[in-house]
Amino acid sequence: MTDVQDEFQIPVYSGKAAVEAGYAQAQQEGVPFFGIEEYEEGYAVTYDLLPADEQLAPTARKEVQTRLTAEVEDIVGDSELATVEVSKSVNDSLGNVSLLETEASARRIARAIAPIVLDAANWDDR
C-alpha cells in the first residue's frame, strides 16, 4: 500500500515566508496548494484549490468535512496526544485545521484528506 504522504508529497512549510513561497509556486504552476504549516505555536494543515482554479464538488467537500471531524475528534480525545485549541474550516476551495501541537498529528490530518482534495475527479466542473 502506498503511503499517502509519499504519494501526494505533503510538504512542511516552516514559517510565513515558506508558506508564501509555496503559494507562489502553486500559483505559478496552476496546481493546488496543500501542505503542513509549521509555526512557533504549532502546526496547521491547509489546502487551497484556487491556484489551480478549481473547487471541490459538493459530495467531496462533505467527505472532507466528515473525515476532518473524525480525525480532529480522535486527536483531541486521545490522552496520549498533546493538543491545543483545534479549529477547522472547510469550504469548496479552501480548508484549514489549526493549531495542532505535533507534526505527527498534522500529518495524520493531511493523510486523511489528501486523497479527496488532491484527486481531480473530486473537483467540480466549472
Side-chain angles (χ1 to χ4, degrees), residues 3-125:
D3 184 358
V4 171
Q5 174 183 328
D6 294 335
E7 180 181 347
F8 292 107
Q9 300 176 2
I10 301 167
V12 175
Y13 299 98
S14 295
K16 185 177 178 180
V19 171
E20 289 173 357
Y23 262 103
Q25 182 177 358
Q27 187 70 41
Q28 182 180 26
E29 296 174 7
V31 299
F33 174 86
F34 190 100
I36 296 169
E37 301 171 29
E38 179 183 13
Y39 298 104
E40 211 171 280
E41 306 84 20
Y43 296 83
V45 177
T46 301
Y47 72 84
D48 188 345
L49 299 179
L50 289 177
D53 196 30
E54 297 291 346
Q55 65 183 23
L56 290 173
T59 54
R61 185 190 51 76
K62 287 177 187 172
E63 180 63 21
V64 168
Q65 181 71 38
T66 299
R67 287 187 183 200
L68 279 179
T69 298
E71 288 297 325
V72 168
E73 286 175 357
D74 284 351
I75 290 169
V76 171
D78 188 340
S79 61
E80 299 289 316
L81 297 173
T83 56
V84 291
E85 186 73 25
V86 178
S87 65
K88 62 183 174 57
S89 172
V90 175
N91 71 38
D92 297 342
S93 58
L94 180 65
N96 178 277
V97 177
S98 62
L99 281 168
L100 299 153
E101 210 164 289
T102 67
E103 183 179 333
S105 292
R107 288 205 175 279
R108 182 172 163 179
I109 295 288
R111 283 192 302 267
I113 64 170
I116 299 166
V117 171
L118 297 177
D119 184 349
N122 293 321
W123 299 345
D124 212 359
D125 293 329

